[in-house]
Amino acid sequence: MTRTTRSGEDSSVEIVLSHVRQAIIAGRYPPNQKLDPRKIATECKVSFIPVREALRVLEAEGFVTFIHNKGAWVTPLSVADLEDLYAIRIELEAEAVRQAAPFSASEIRALETTLDDAARATRRNDRRRVITLNRDFHFAIYTKSQSPRRLRLIEQMWQHADRYQRLSLNYRHDAADAEHRAIVAALADDDHRLAARELRTHLETTARLLRAALAAKTSATRPRKTVLTTHAR
C-alpha cells in the first residue's frame, strides 16, 4: 500500500467521523437509531471500508454501540452515563473557573451581552442559537483558566454532553439565565470560589432535571406486568 493510498483512506475516515459524530451530537441520528453503513458511505461519497473504521472509532468514543448480529446503533442516553459525565464536568469546569484570571470590565460586559442574546433567542425558541450562545458563554470563562490541557478535556466532555444539553432545553425554559448571571456577578466581584460554587449548582441542577426526565422516560417505556387474578367460586 502506498503512502498516498493510506493518506487517502485516513482522509476518508476523518470525513465519515466528522459527519456521523456531528449528526449524533446534533440529533440527526437520534439515540437508539440503527446506523446504515451503506447509506453513510453514500452520504459521505466514500467506500464501505472507511465507514467501518470510523464506526469503530466512534464506538471507542462512546457515541456508537455495536450489538452482536444487529450492527451499529447510536448509543442511548442513560441516567448512568449522565451522572458519570456531569460528575466529571463539574470537577473540570469548577476548577477552570477557580483558576481563571481576573475578568476586566469589558469581559464582564461581553459575558452579559452573550446572556442577553441567549435570552432573546430563548424567547424566539431558537434552540440552535441558544446552544451556540451557551457554549460561547461557558468557554469564554474556561479559556481564562490558561490551561490548554484542561480546556481540551472540557471540550471532549462537551461533545458528549451536547445531546443532554439539547434535551435540557425541554425542561429549562429560561436556559438557566439566573444561574448564568449569578456566575457572572461573582466573577465581576473577583470572587472565583463563589463563581465556581455557582457553576457547580448550575450543572447539578441541570443533571437533576435530566435525571428525572430520563428516569420517567425509562419507566414509561418499560413493559407493564400483567397481573392475573383468580376469582373465588
Side-chain angles (χ1 to χ4, degrees):
M1 181 182 292
T2 66
R3 181 174 297 178
T4 301
T5 302
R6 180 71 256 177
S7 175
E9 289 183 0
D10 291 345
S11 176
S12 295
V13 172
E14 287 300 322
I15 289 171
V16 178
L17 269 174
S18 178
H19 171 78
V20 178
R21 188 189 290 119
Q22 288 305 314
I24 291 173
I25 290 172
R28 294 193 299 276
Y29 293 162
N32 295 307
Q33 176 173 308
K34 190 178 191 304
L35 296 171
D36 183 344
R38 298 187 187 282
K39 181 179 178 182
I40 293 171
T42 300
E43 291 172 345
C44 296
K45 297 180 174 60
V46 299
S47 68
F48 177 74
I49 293 174
V51 174
R52 184 176 58 192
E53 291 185 21
L55 290 178
R56 286 300 181 186
V57 173
L58 291 167
E59 179 188 29
E61 292 180 353
F63 288 107
V64 168
T65 300
F66 277 87
I67 301 176
H68 183 61
N69 291 333
K70 291 186 177 181
W73 298 69
V74 178
T75 301
L77 302 179
S78 70
V79 171
D81 181 54
L82 168 77
E83 291 178 342
D84 189 35
L85 177 60
Y86 270 76
I88 296 170
R89 279 193 61 194
I90 286 168
E91 295 307 316
L92 284 172
E93 295 173 36
E95 186 60 25
V97 173
R98 280 192 291 270
Q99 292 182 359
F103 284 72
S104 67
S106 62
E107 288 171 328
I108 292 296
R109 285 196 299 271
L111 290 174
E112 291 171 339
T113 297
T114 299
L115 294 181
D116 291 341
D117 291 343
R120 284 190 288 270
T122 299
R123 290 193 293 271
R124 295 195 307 270
N125 197 31
D126 187 348
R127 294 164 70 96
R128 181 177 298 181
R129 181 67 173 154
V130 171
I131 289 290
T132 298
L133 290 167
N134 180 63
R135 182 183 177 88
D136 290 347
F137 171 78
H138 281 270
F139 278 87
I141 297 172
Y142 303 152
T143 302
K144 295 277 287 183
S145 71
Q146 301 173 326
S147 172
R149 188 180 298 276
R150 180 180 295 277
L151 199 60
R152 285 196 298 272
L153 290 172
I154 292 173
E155 287 172 343
Q156 290 173 14
M157 292 300 101
W158 269 64
Q159 279 195 331
H160 289 277
D162 200 291
R163 296 194 294 165
Y164 292 101
Q165 290 173 347
R166 291 173 189 276
L167 178 62
S168 75
L169 294 181
N170 295 333
Y171 310 98
R172 278 191 167 280
H173 303 298
D174 63 346
D177 183 70
E179 293 163 21
H180 285 151
R181 292 186 188 276
I183 296 168
V184 174
L187 292 174
D189 289 339
D190 203 23
D191 190 342
H192 289 216
R193 289 187 178 277
L194 175 58
R197 290 198 297 273
E198 296 289 2
L199 174 74
R200 178 180 291 272
T201 298
H202 164 53
L203 294 180
E204 287 175 345
T205 300
T206 299
R208 185 172 63 253
L209 290 169
L210 286 170
R211 187 185 304 113
L214 290 171
K217 185 177 294 186
T218 300
S219 177
T221 57
R222 186 180 297 133
R224 294 183 179 181
K225 293 182 178 180
T226 302
V227 179
L228 299 178
T229 59
T230 57
H231 299 280
R233 299 190 179 188

